[in-house]
Amino acid sequence: MFTVKLSFNEDLMTYTLIIPSISIGNVGQLATDLLINSIAAQKVGYIDTAYLFPMVGTEAFADGKDPAKGKLTTGCEIFVSTPHKLIIVQQRSPIINGKARFFQAELRQWIKEKRFKLVVLMSSSFAHKRLDSQINDPLCRFLATSAVDPSLIDELKSELKWSLWERKDVFGEDNPTDDRFVIPGGGIASLFYRECSTDGIPLLVLIAFCSEGDNIPDAVELASFLNSWLKVVPDVRSNSIASKTHQSQWLFPSSWRLLFGSGPPSTLF
C-alpha cells in the first residue's frame, strides 16, 4: 500500500521535489527540517504506506504562537512552498527491513505520475570512508542522472564549484571503472539513483560526509549546499574554516531544543 493524500491541487510539473534519505546522522532529514522551517513551507498532505514503521508525534515546527501549528506529526508528510515552487517530503519514520526496494519503487511511480521538474534527494555518507583526495575538500558532493539538464550540471560545477561524487565499489573504495555509485551509509540513495537513472527521472543526489553525533552542523552544511543553488534563504558570510559555502540564515525548528533530551535535574547538584 502506498497512498498519497494531497490538499494541494496545482499542476506539479513546474515544481522541484525535495526528499530526504534516512542515512548516517539523519543529516538529510535534519536539513529538510531546516528548509521547511526557514521558508515557512505549509503542510499539504502525507504519504501513507505499509513500507514505513507507523509513527505519530507532536508538531515539529510548533512555536507556541500559532495554534494552527499544534497538530500531530506523522511518519511521512508533504509540504509546499508556492513562491519557491518547491514540494518537500519529510520522512521521519524508517523503512521496514526488507522493504526499501518496494518503498522507493512506489515513490518513483508517484514522481513519474506528477512529472516533477526536478527531484533532489538529500543524503549523507560515512566521513571515515572519504578518499585521501577528499579530506581537504568541501564536505558535500552531488550526483545527477542523465535526465538532468546538462546546463544545470555545468552551472553547479563551474559557477558553484560543486564536486561530483566519485565512483566507488561495494567496499567504498575508489573505483573509476565501476558503473555503480555506492554511497556508504546513504540509505536508499544508491538504489534510488540507479532506478531513477533507468526510469529517466531528473534527479540530483546531494551527499554530506559526516559521523554520528551532534549532526546539526552537518545539516546546516548540507542545507547551505542546497541553498547555494536554490537561493531560497538569505545568505550571510561565514568565517568557518571548515566550510567553503556561505552559511544561511536558517531558522532552527523548536523541536530541536529537545534533540538530546532534557538537561540534568538541578537536584543532582
Side-chain angles (χ1 to χ4, degrees), residues 127-173:
H128 67 269
K129 288 288 188 179
R130 282 182 292 177
L131 307 173
D132 290 345
S133 59
Q134 298 170 333
I135 297 298
N136 293 321
D137 283 353
L139 295 177
C140 298
R141 291 282 196 278
F142 83 103
L143 273 174
T145 62
S146 58
V148 175
D149 187 341
S151 64
L152 173 58
I153 299 176
D154 289 342
E155 175 190 346
L156 298 178
K157 293 170 64 177
S158 59
E159 296 184 22
L160 298 180
K161 307 302 180 184
W162 285 18
S163 299
L164 280 167
W165 181 260
E166 294 82 356
R167 292 181 186 268
K168 299 182 179 184
D169 59 25
V170 293
F171 301 105
E173 302 300 328

Side-chain angles (χ1 to χ4, degrees), residues 32-44 59 61 69 78-84 86-88:
T32 302
D33 260 358
L34 272 179
L35 180 62
I36 292 170
N37 199 54
S38 298
I39 65 175
Q42 300 300 307
K43 189 187 302 184
V44 292
E59 172 61 62
F61 306 108
K69 288 189 175 182
I78 304 173
F79 298 80
V80 65
S81 175
T82 305
H84 302 111
L86 295 178
I87 293 289
I88 307 169

Side-chain angles (χ1 to χ4, degrees), residues 26-84:
N26 302 103
V27 174
Q29 295 162 288
L30 292 172
T32 302
D33 260 358
L34 272 179
L35 180 62
I36 292 170
N37 199 54
S38 298
I39 65 175
Q42 300 300 307
K43 189 187 302 184
V44 292
Y46 62 89
I47 295 176
D48 183 16
T49 172
Y51 304 132
L52 300 180
F53 284 101
M55 185 221 83
V56 66
T58 56
E59 172 61 62
F61 306 108
D63 56 11
K65 300 177 182 178
D66 184 358
K69 288 189 175 182
K71 299 180 180 179
L72 293 178
T73 292
T74 56
C76 197
E77 298 179 320
I78 304 173
F79 298 80
V80 65
S81 175
T82 305
H84 302 111

